[in-house]
Amino acid sequence: MDTFALIVTIGVALGFTYTNGFHDSANAIATSVSTRALTPRAALAMAAVMNLAGAFLGSGVAKTVSKGLIETPHGDRGMWILFAALVGAIVWNLITWYFGLPSSSSHALFGGMVGAALAGGIGVIWHGVLEKVVIPMFLSPLVGLIVGYLVMVAIMWIFRRSNPHKAKRGFRIAQTVSAAGMALGHGLQDAQKTMGIVVMALVIADVEKAGDPIPVWVKIACAVMLSLGTYAGGWRIMRTLGRKIIELDPPQGFAAETTGASIMYTASYLYQAPISTTHVITSAIMGVGATKRVNAVRWGVAKNIILGWFITMPAAAVVAAVSFWLVDLAVA
């Protein structure tokens, strides 16, 4: 039973990573596709490769997920808690993908972990959830909004005497680099979140000891599934990010992607905080767009997106709790 539970949980974790990939592929490439800097397929291929590379650049976020949010559960019951957490995250990912809402896969996972832990009677490390999830959840979009605005103002000032046509062509080329940086940051952040869950499953099954390095096969499996999901694409969400919030031009796209990537690297390396790539790029797009004029941003669409952010963690927590109770009934 232990081996079966472990295999099922790891399988579902990799399934979550795949949904994370196609749900969040829009984060990395929507701006480049909407400004026609890259074709959709070329952008997806580039994002998939950079996601794969990003997954191997660190392990701080994985450690936060595996040790800092809930107490490590034990035995079969502990494995089903992880299973239920992943189901909660996957279900919420699919719902928001269907409606084209760029919600956070990361916060769906964290909500699922908290909901399943509470349902299963496992302790939640509330100060860890507050410091590593809740505070960054509010802070990173605010930073994205402000930095995106300032970066765009700087670009407008630096290139104020440039030929607009030449400048746009230059920024279209530069966007291939900024989009790659965004995709690398996405791999750095999001592949590690699933690595943290798989490591927890291996510790529960006594295959690994707490504190052991992340096995190479776990890194490869999570990275490959995230890349495959990314290449599958999330066209519904891409339309929301690329067109519905604001019509972006290449300098704006470059500013938004550069802002998003910088914030993700800072959060990963300095704070080991698992932040949402969705929150960061969406708020950066809003900040960049506001430099045109405040009403250039379609704030009605933005309001719906922000509402989705607020309900993601509780909604995934509820689905995860219900999933745990159903599994508990089935295996009891």
Side-chain angles (χ1 to χ4, degrees):
M1 184 61 181
D2 285 348
T3 306
F4 174 73
L6 176 64
I7 291 167
V8 168
T9 304
I10 291 174
V12 175
L14 294 177
F16 165 75
T17 309
Y18 183 84
T19 68
N20 188 345
F22 77 68
H23 192 279
D24 288 5
S25 58
N27 298 342
I29 65 168
T31 49
S32 299
V33 172
S34 71
T35 60
R36 296 180 178 81
L38 293 167
T39 63
R41 279 294 158 203
L44 282 170
M46 177 276 296
V49 170
M50 298 308 281
N51 269 335
L52 190 66
F56 293 93
L57 291 182
S59 59
V61 171
K63 285 174 185 168
T64 297
V65 172
S66 63
K67 295 179 184 174
L69 304 180
I70 64 173
E71 290 175 7
T72 303
H74 300 285
D76 283 352
R77 190 175 176 84
M79 201 67 78
W80 296 132
I81 286 171
L82 286 190
F83 172 81
L86 291 160
V87 169
I90 289 170
V91 168
W92 188 248
N93 266 359
L94 293 175
I95 290 169
T96 50
W97 166 81
Y98 181 80
F99 288 105
L101 194 66
S103 70
S104 166
S105 296
S106 309
H107 291 115
L109 177 62
F110 304 146
M113 288 173 73
V114 170
L118 291 173
I122 295 295
V124 175
I125 305 169
W126 290 111
H127 68 87
V129 173
L130 181 67
E131 288 172 16
K132 297 292 187 181
V133 178
V134 177
I135 291 173
M137 181 171 81
F138 288 101
L139 206 56
S140 59
L142 189 63
V143 172
L145 192 72
I146 294 166
V147 175
Y149 181 87
L150 294 175
V151 168
M152 193 60 217
V153 166
I155 287 172
M156 287 160 68
W157 187 82
I158 292 165
F159 292 91
R160 66 193 183 283
R161 292 192 179 92
S162 301
N163 178 302
H165 182 69
K166 279 187 181 175
K168 281 190 179 180
R169 195 167 60 213
F171 274 108
R172 195 168 273 130
I173 295 164
Q175 263 200 278
T176 59
V177 178
S178 60
M182 189 72 205
L184 194 72
H186 180 238
L188 174 65
Q189 274 278 332
D190 284 31
Q192 284 192 50
K193 289 159 191 168
T194 309
M195 287 179 208
I197 294 290
V198 174
V199 166
M200 282 183 85
L202 294 171
V203 170
I204 291 168
D206 285 330
V207 176
E208 291 279 320
K209 296 279 187 293
D212 282 355
I214 300 168
V216 174
W217 70 265
V218 173
K219 290 186 178 184
I220 292 170
C222 293
V224 167
M225 289 305 287
L226 186 71
S227 292
L228 289 173
T230 298
Y231 192 70
W235 303 108
R236 291 169 186 266
I237 293 169
M238 213 174 293
R239 280 193 290 272
T240 302
L241 277 180
R243 295 284 181 189
K244 288 187 181 175
I245 298 173
I246 184 170
E247 296 281 341
L248 292 169
D249 61 21
Q252 291 172 326
F254 175 80
E257 288 167 345
T258 303
T259 299
S262 303
I263 293 169
M264 283 193 291
Y265 297 139
T266 303
S268 299
Y269 287 119
L270 285 187
Y271 303 107
Q272 299 183 344
I275 63 167
S276 166
T277 51
T278 310
H279 290 190
V280 169
I281 190 63
T282 308
S283 58
I285 289 171
M286 290 178 201
V288 164
T291 59
K292 205 183 264 186
R293 60 184 190 281
V294 173
N295 63 357
V297 178
R298 298 185 183 105
W299 295 107
V301 175
K303 184 186 76 177
N304 290 340
I305 291 168
I306 292 165
L307 186 64
W309 294 353
F310 277 103
I311 62 173
T312 289
M313 276 189 74
V318 169
V319 175
V322 171
S323 301
F324 175 79
W325 288 323
L326 291 173
V327 171
D328 206 34
L329 278 173
V331 298

